Amino acid sequence: MTDWTPLHRQRHQMMRWRPRRDYLHSSGQSLVPVLLGELGQLMSAYTLAFSEQGGEYTAVAILGLGQAEHFYLGPNGQWLADYVPATLRAYPFQLLGAGENKHALCIDATQLNENEAMPAIFADDGTMAEPVQEMLTFLQHCEQQRIATARACAALAKQALIEPWPVTLANDETVESVGKKTVQGLYRINESALNALNGDALAGLRKSGALALAYAQLLSITQLQQLPKRAQWQAKLKAHAAQVKGLSLIHISEPTRPRL
């Protein structure tokens, strides 16, 4: 579990941080929040949906159909798609609430160290080191996008356009070990209700960015049937990685052989 701790100039002045080398921190995450500004990049590889908590909706990308499933993660933590959702790219940093309209830049405490070969968090003069400042700027932009996306979701809900979506993944005979699955707790756009809106309502949704989100979710549904193939691809990569590792262990004590 991630141990987020707020950065403090005095407490972390001499500390270093370990840059992200993979996406293993997303293991077990079957949904990832997405932002309005990245819809264009997401649609080619992800199915978009909505999740609900406390009566509020969040736009998400589906990474797997089932608890802790994640078909976009390779055996070495590499991401198995051309585009990585923005909320995953800032690790080990995160911007978390610290009171009303305030946020604190936090870091996963497990990624802190005193290894001088690692980048510093603060410069000698006490200011934030440039790479960390860049992360903060990126996260501040993501927060602005998160607020805009939340408003878009609220606008869609106000027009009664979001409906429950029991996602069913049908049996695929071409993909071994993938049977029929139905996942509850996801939501989608009601296309009939969207098409029935009058011009003024559509104009309001367009102004808030909600209309783009609605159409992106509907158009992304075709990606859903790619999930079984992603599961198969991931399984093959893991099996190959295990085989290579096994061969390496077998030959590690043997003398070096000339390559043909």
Side-chain angles (χ1 to χ4, degrees):
M1 186 174 180
T2 307
D3 181 15
W4 296 115
T5 182
L7 287 178
H8 190 278
R9 183 173 286 104
Q10 292 181 338
R11 189 181 311 140
H12 299 112
Q13 176 67 48
M14 305 305 294
M15 298 296 291
R16 305 283 174 145
W17 62 284
R18 184 178 294 104
R20 175 186 54 74
R21 297 184 181 277
D22 52 51
Y23 290 93
L24 290 174
H25 64 281
S26 69
S27 298
Q29 191 172 343
S30 59
L31 301 174
V32 59
V34 297
L35 307 171
L36 281 180
E38 59 181 345
L39 293 178
Q41 296 98 313
L42 290 165
M43 288 172 57
S44 64
Y46 302 87
T47 301
L48 305 182
F50 300 93
S51 63
E52 184 271 335
Q53 185 173 7
E56 297 184 352
Y57 293 96
T58 300
V60 297
I62 299 174
L63 304 180
L65 291 176
Q67 188 175 6
E69 278 188 347
H70 187 340
F71 299 144
Y72 289 78
L73 193 64
N76 297 315
Q78 70 271 37
W79 198 261
L80 302 179
D82 290 337
Y83 181 80
V84 181
T87 55
L88 297 177
R89 283 187 268 129
Y91 184 84
F93 297 98
Q94 182 61 280
L95 203 61
L96 298 178
E100 187 175 356
N101 297 322
K102 294 183 179 180
H103 293 84
L105 180 62
C106 301
I107 189 171
D108 183 351
T110 65
Q111 304 304 303
L112 289 170
N113 59 78
E114 297 180 357
N115 185 348
E116 294 186 358
M118 296 291 178
I121 297 174
F122 293 98
D124 293 339
D125 61 0
T127 60
M128 194 170 287
E130 185 176 352
V132 180
Q133 180 61 53
E134 290 175 353
M135 285 289 192
L136 175 58
T137 301
F138 173 72
L139 284 168
Q140 288 172 332
H141 174 72
C142 287
E143 177 60 17
Q144 293 171 353
Q145 280 283 300
R146 185 197 66 77
I147 293 172
T149 309
R151 288 173 178 167
C153 290
L156 294 170
K158 185 177 181 180
Q159 293 291 341
L161 296 178
I162 300 179
E163 65 177 4
W165 186 19
V167 177
T168 298
L169 194 64
N171 288 301
D172 189 337
E173 296 178 357
T174 66
V175 182
E176 297 179 1
S177 302
V178 176
K180 185 174 182 179
K181 289 185 178 181
T182 299
V183 180
Q184 305 291 337
L186 293 175
Y187 296 79
R188 66 180 173 188
I189 294 297
N190 184 320
E191 187 172 5
S192 297
L194 178 63
N195 292 335
L197 291 180
N198 61 38
D200 290 340
L202 287 172
L205 292 178
R206 185 181 300 110
K207 185 176 181 180
S208 67
L211 190 60
L213 178 57
Y215 282 129
Q217 193 281 312
L218 289 171
L219 292 170
S220 74
I221 291 176
T222 58
Q223 290 292 332
L224 190 62
Q225 295 307 316
Q226 295 298 317
L227 280 177
K229 295 179 176 61
R230 286 191 171 276
Q232 184 187 47
W233 183 28
Q234 183 188 63
K236 287 182 177 179
L237 288 173
K238 289 182 176 180
H240 177 71
Q243 184 181 30
V244 170
K245 183 177 180 180
L247 290 174
S248 299
L249 291 174
I250 291 173
H251 292 93
I252 194 169
S253 61
E254 293 186 1
T256 303
R257 299 177 180 177
R259 294 183 179 180
L260 299 178

